Amino acid sequence: MAPAPVTRCNGTSLRRATRRVSQLYDAVLAPVGLKSTQRSILIAVSRLGSPGMGELAAALVLDRSALAHNLKPLERDGLLRVAPDATDRRSRRVTLTEAGEERLAQSKALWEQAQKRFEKAFGKHEAAVLRETLARIASPEFAEAFLR
Amino acid sequence: MAPAPVTRCNGTSLRRATRRVSQLYDAVLAPVGLKSTQRSILIAVSRLGSPGMGELAAALVLDRSALAHNLKPLERDGLLRVAPDATDRRSRRVTLTEAGEERLAQSKALWEQAQKRFEKAFGKHEAAVLRETLARIASPEFAEAFLR
DNA sequence: TCGCAATAGGGGCATATGCCCATATAGCGA
DNA sequence: TCGCTATATGGGCATATGCCCCTATTGCGA
């Protein structure tokens, strides 16, 4: 069947693991109608308050343009709202709607279930260490070090 | 500016790190006109010989349908060919063309440069350990353990 | 040999992600 | 106040990824 996924490429390793985990998490989240990508956007908006597009994109380590696209389904479904900033008319701020907060709350139990499953299969402590490591890679400092 | 990307979600951690690293690698690979995703497909085809679609998709930890889509630009650009299997007419086999092998060869130096940069910023040994860890997560066994 | 379950892929549809470039504002220095 | 530069986004275009379901073959058991 499927040969063991062997590769020396760090990027490829990451992408494969990400695809696997996204599929696993998405399957668990499916009943509430949120992909893990979408949930992570709602979470970030919730944590940041009413972030501007650029701020939100940076926090998500996501291209601004990609973010704008990703927001559309969520806005269409009434989970969040995008409105011009009151003082800086260049800027647009993203806010959760009540429906958005509710959906986020609904997804919490399922997300926790996915986390539990992941940590059962991978190890709770190891998972924490891995997240730490990945956060380091995702940081702007890492990009700088890479480019230096 | 951008808050530190903090999250307790394993999937989100992975996706963020992956986006960062893909951007970094893709920028390095750009001169040869290959994305890292595309390069990893060419590599897999090269390693597996002339794999069938399903086999290749499994090796890449990629949905069969997604693979079919991903192959189109590569086939259009003449880097690989998809032909029906001689004995099993349900099956289609993917093969590198000469142009494909050549492109892959051209990309090698740039890929190595990206690897060097990554390992300079992250640590050579740590990178090897991380790849090991990620391969474990990407494995079918991990999915089974998650679902069990 | 017939018929049906199993296998291999593709099409349609929707979301995800990025790059480049155009546009709208802000802000600041002459 | 004028005008140039910096900032905040969006649009266009292309690739990436997945799910569900349909079709073409195979292969096997009755």
Side-chain angles (χ1 to χ4, degrees):
Chain A
M1 254 294 300
V6 178
T7 175
R8 278 160 45 234
C9 180
N10 300 301
T12 301
S13 300
L14 275 164
R15 266 178 290 101
R16 285 183 192 173
T18 296
R19 284 196 291 259
R20 178 75 74 188
V21 174
S22 292
Q23 281 175 44
L24 261 15
Y25 272 60
D26 282 354
V28 175
L29 284 176
V32 285
L34 279 183
K35 308 279 200 107
S36 45
T37 41
Q38 302 180 318
R39 198 186 118 91
S40 66
I41 291 177
L42 297 185
I43 293 268
V45 172
S46 170
R47 294 228 175 108
L48 295 173
S50 293
M53 303 291 293
E55 183 187 1
L56 183 55
L60 292 166
V61 191
L62 184 61
D63 180 85
R64 273 196 294 281
S65 193
L67 173 61
H69 292 313
N70 292 172
L71 291 183
K72 276 175 192 154
L74 298 171
E75 197 179 5
R76 179 201 60 201
D77 296 345
L79 303 182
L80 49 78
R81 213 174 314 123
V82 182
D85 183 284
T87 62
D88 187 340
R89 272 188 298 177
R90 289 170 303 182
S91 186
R92 286 152 60 74
R93 301 202 158 275
V94 189
T95 319
L96 286 192
T97 61
E98 289 210 7
E101 306 209 21
E102 200 177 310
R103 188 73 72 88
L104 197 48
Q106 285 167 2
S107 71
K108 185 157 185 270
L110 290 179
W111 171 73
E112 277 168 357
Q113 188 190 325
Q115 285 282 105
K116 272 209 187 68
R117 286 173 171 279
F118 183 94
E119 294 178 351
K120 182 191 63 183
F122 187 67
K124 193 179 175 63
H125 174 66
E126 289 88 334
V129 172
L130 177 63
R131 286 196 303 273
E132 203 72 33
T133 299
L134 294 172
R136 188 177 137 215
I137 292 175
S139 74
E141 291 72 36
F142 182 83
E144 275 173 45
F146 182 97
L147 296 171
R148 182 151 32 230
Chain B
M1 253 294 299
V6 178
T7 177
R8 278 162 44 233
C9 179
N10 301 300
T12 302
S13 300
L14 274 164
R15 264 177 291 101
R16 286 184 191 170
T18 297
R19 285 196 290 261
R20 178 75 74 189
V21 174
S22 292
Q23 283 175 42
L24 261 17
Y25 271 61
D26 281 354
V28 175
L29 284 177
V32 285
L34 280 182
K35 308 278 200 109
S36 45
T37 42
Q38 301 180 319
R39 197 184 118 92
S40 66
I41 292 177
L42 297 186
I43 293 269
V45 173
S46 170
R47 292 230 175 104
L48 295 174
S50 293
M53 302 292 291
E55 182 188 1
L56 183 54
L60 291 166
V61 191
L62 185 60
D63 179 86
R64 274 197 297 282
S65 193
L67 173 60
H69 291 313
N70 292 172
L71 290 182
K72 277 179 190 148
L74 297 170
E75 196 178 7
R76 179 202 59 201
D77 296 345
L79 302 182
L80 49 78
R81 214 175 314 123
V82 182
D85 183 285
T87 62
D88 187 340
R89 272 187 299 176
R90 291 171 302 182
S91 185
R92 286 154 59 76
R93 303 205 156 271
V94 188
T95 320
L96 286 193
T97 60
E98 289 211 6
E101 306 210 21
E102 200 176 310
R103 188 73 72 89
L104 197 48
Q106 286 166 1
S107 70
K108 185 156 186 272
L110 290 179
W111 170 73
E112 278 169 355
Q113 187 190 326
Q115 286 281 105
K116 273 209 185 70
R117 285 172 173 280
F118 183 95
E119 295 179 349
K120 182 190 63 181
F122 187 68
K124 192 179 176 64
H125 175 65
E126 288 89 333
V129 172
L130 177 63
R131 286 196 303 273
E132 203 72 32
T133 299
L134 295 172
R136 187 177 139 216
I137 292 175
S139 75
E141 289 73 33
F142 182 82
E144 275 173 45
F146 181 97
L147 296 172
R148 180 152 34 229

